[in-house]
Protein backbone atom coordinates (compact mmCIF):
# COMPACT_ATOMS: atom_id res chain seq x y z
CA UNK A 1 0.00 0.00 0.00
CA UNK A 2 1.33 3.45 -0.90
CA UNK A 3 2.24 5.83 1.87
CA UNK A 4 -0.29 8.69 2.09
CA UNK A 5 2.52 11.21 2.66
CA UNK A 6 4.19 10.35 -0.67
CA UNK A 7 3.46 13.06 -3.25
CA UNK A 8 2.04 11.87 -6.57
CA UNK A 9 3.96 14.50 -8.56
CA UNK A 10 7.25 13.74 -10.27
CA UNK A 11 8.62 17.10 -9.11
CA UNK A 12 11.21 17.12 -6.32
CA UNK A 13 9.70 17.41 -2.84
CA UNK A 14 11.96 20.35 -1.92
CA UNK A 15 12.87 21.99 -5.23
CA UNK A 16 16.11 23.94 -5.19
CA UNK A 17 15.99 25.67 -8.57
CA UNK A 18 13.52 27.26 -10.96
CA UNK A 19 14.61 24.70 -13.53
CA UNK A 20 13.29 21.91 -11.33
CA UNK A 21 9.78 23.37 -11.12
CA UNK A 22 9.33 25.07 -14.48
CA UNK A 23 7.03 23.90 -17.22
CA UNK A 24 8.50 23.73 -20.73
CA UNK A 25 7.68 26.78 -22.89
CA UNK A 26 6.24 24.84 -25.80
CA UNK A 27 3.93 27.59 -27.02
CA UNK A 28 5.53 30.70 -28.50
CA UNK A 29 4.61 33.63 -30.71
CA UNK A 30 6.60 36.37 -32.38
CA UNK A 31 6.42 39.97 -31.21
CA UNK A 32 4.96 40.93 -34.59
CA UNK A 33 2.09 38.40 -34.41
CA UNK A 34 -1.49 39.63 -34.03
CA UNK A 35 -3.05 39.32 -30.56
CA UNK A 36 -5.73 37.01 -32.03
CA UNK A 37 -2.99 34.59 -33.07
CA UNK A 38 -1.69 34.53 -29.50
CA UNK A 39 -5.19 33.85 -28.18
CA UNK A 40 -5.65 31.02 -30.69
CA UNK A 41 -2.32 29.44 -29.74
CA UNK A 42 -3.07 29.63 -26.02
CA UNK A 43 -6.54 28.14 -26.46
CA UNK A 44 -5.35 25.20 -28.54
CA UNK A 45 -2.33 24.56 -26.31
CA UNK A 46 -4.48 24.71 -23.19
CA UNK A 47 -2.18 27.28 -21.60
CA UNK A 48 -2.67 30.72 -20.08
CA UNK A 49 0.59 32.27 -21.27
CA UNK A 50 3.09 32.01 -24.07
CA UNK A 51 6.63 33.18 -24.64
CA UNK A 52 7.06 36.06 -27.08
CA UNK A 53 10.08 35.78 -29.36
CA UNK A 54 11.94 38.41 -31.35
CA UNK A 55 11.02 37.82 -35.01
CA UNK A 56 14.61 38.15 -36.19
CA UNK A 57 16.55 36.32 -33.48
CA UNK A 58 13.94 33.94 -32.03
CA UNK A 59 15.18 34.96 -28.58
CA UNK A 60 12.61 35.52 -25.81
CA UNK A 61 11.60 39.15 -25.34
CA UNK A 62 8.60 38.72 -23.04
CA UNK A 63 5.42 36.83 -22.30
CA UNK A 64 1.78 37.40 -23.11
CA UNK A 65 -0.96 36.07 -20.85
CA UNK A 66 -4.66 35.41 -21.20
CA UNK A 67 -5.22 38.53 -19.10
CA UNK A 68 -3.20 40.59 -21.61
CA UNK A 69 -5.42 39.26 -24.40
CA UNK A 70 -8.58 40.07 -22.45
CA UNK A 71 -7.37 43.63 -21.83
CA UNK A 72 -6.49 44.12 -25.50
CA UNK A 73 -9.95 42.96 -26.56
CA UNK A 74 -11.68 45.06 -23.89
CA UNK A 75 -9.71 48.11 -25.01
CA UNK A 76 -10.84 47.54 -28.60
CA UNK A 77 -7.34 46.77 -29.91
CA UNK A 78 -7.38 45.21 -33.35
CA UNK A 79 -5.31 45.54 -36.45
CA UNK A 80 -7.68 47.95 -38.19
CA UNK A 81 -7.79 50.35 -35.28
CA UNK A 82 -4.02 50.12 -34.84
CA UNK A 83 -3.52 50.83 -38.56
CA UNK A 84 -5.81 53.87 -38.34
CA UNK A 85 -3.94 55.17 -35.27
CA UNK A 86 -0.57 54.67 -36.96
CA UNK A 87 -1.75 56.39 -40.15
CA UNK A 88 -3.23 59.33 -38.24
CA UNK A 89 -0.27 59.86 -35.92
CA UNK A 90 2.29 59.53 -38.71
CA UNK A 91 0.22 61.43 -41.29
CA UNK A 92 0.42 58.41 -43.60
CA UNK A 93 -2.14 57.84 -46.33
CA UNK A 94 -0.89 54.33 -47.16
CA UNK A 95 0.56 51.42 -45.19
CA UNK A 96 2.28 48.30 -46.46
CA UNK A 97 0.86 45.00 -45.23
CA UNK A 98 3.54 42.48 -44.37
CA UNK A 99 2.91 38.77 -43.87
CA UNK A 100 5.12 35.80 -43.04
CA UNK A 101 6.52 35.69 -46.57
CA UNK A 102 7.12 39.42 -46.96
CA UNK A 103 5.07 42.18 -48.55
CA UNK A 104 1.46 41.06 -48.95
CA UNK A 105 -0.25 44.25 -50.05
CA UNK A 106 -1.10 47.85 -49.23
CA UNK A 107 -4.00 49.66 -47.57
CA UNK A 108 -4.99 53.30 -47.86
CA UNK A 109 -6.68 55.55 -45.33
CA UNK A 110 -10.02 55.42 -47.19
CA UNK A 111 -10.16 51.63 -47.06
CA UNK A 112 -9.26 51.56 -43.38
CA UNK A 113 -11.86 54.24 -42.58
CA UNK A 114 -14.61 52.42 -44.46
CA UNK A 115 -13.74 49.14 -42.76
CA UNK A 116 -13.90 50.78 -39.31
CA UNK A 117 -17.22 52.46 -40.09
CA UNK A 118 -18.80 49.17 -41.13
CA UNK A 119 -21.46 48.43 -43.75
CA UNK A 120 -24.04 51.15 -44.26
CA UNK A 121 -22.10 53.82 -42.32
CA UNK A 122 -20.34 55.36 -45.31
Amino acid sequence: MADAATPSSSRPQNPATVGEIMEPALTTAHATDHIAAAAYLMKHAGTTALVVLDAETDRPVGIVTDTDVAHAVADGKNSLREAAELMTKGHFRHLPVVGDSGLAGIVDISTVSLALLGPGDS
Side-chain angles (χ1 to χ4, degrees):
M1 178 190 250
D3 182 17
T6 303
S8 61
S9 174
S10 61
R11 292 183 178 164
Q13 195 163 358
N14 294 315
T17 67
V18 172
E20 291 176 346
I21 63 170
M22 73 175 184
E23 298 291 329
L26 300 177
T27 307
T28 62
H30 286 105
T32 56
D33 289 346
H34 193 280
I35 194 72
Y40 176 87
L41 290 170
M42 281 189 267
K43 177 182 177 189
H44 289 282
T47 185
T48 58
L50 53 88
V51 175
V52 179
L53 305 175
D54 180 272
E56 292 179 19
T57 65
D58 266 353
R59 293 189 53 90
V61 293
I63 62 169
V64 65
T65 67
D66 55 350
T67 302
D68 295 327
V69 172
H71 286 241
V73 171
D75 291 342
K77 298 286 186 192
N78 64 49
S79 59
L80 272 179
R81 182 170 305 280
E82 291 173 57
E85 289 173 2
L86 180 62
M87 293 170 107
T88 302
K89 288 178 184 173
H91 303 285
F92 305 130
R93 295 182 43 81
H94 299 85
L95 280 180
V97 178
V98 180
D100 291 338
S101 58
L103 185 62
I106 191 164
V107 293
D108 64 61
I109 193 68
S110 299
T111 307
V112 171
S113 297
L114 289 172
L116 284 171
L117 288 172
D121 291 334
S122 51

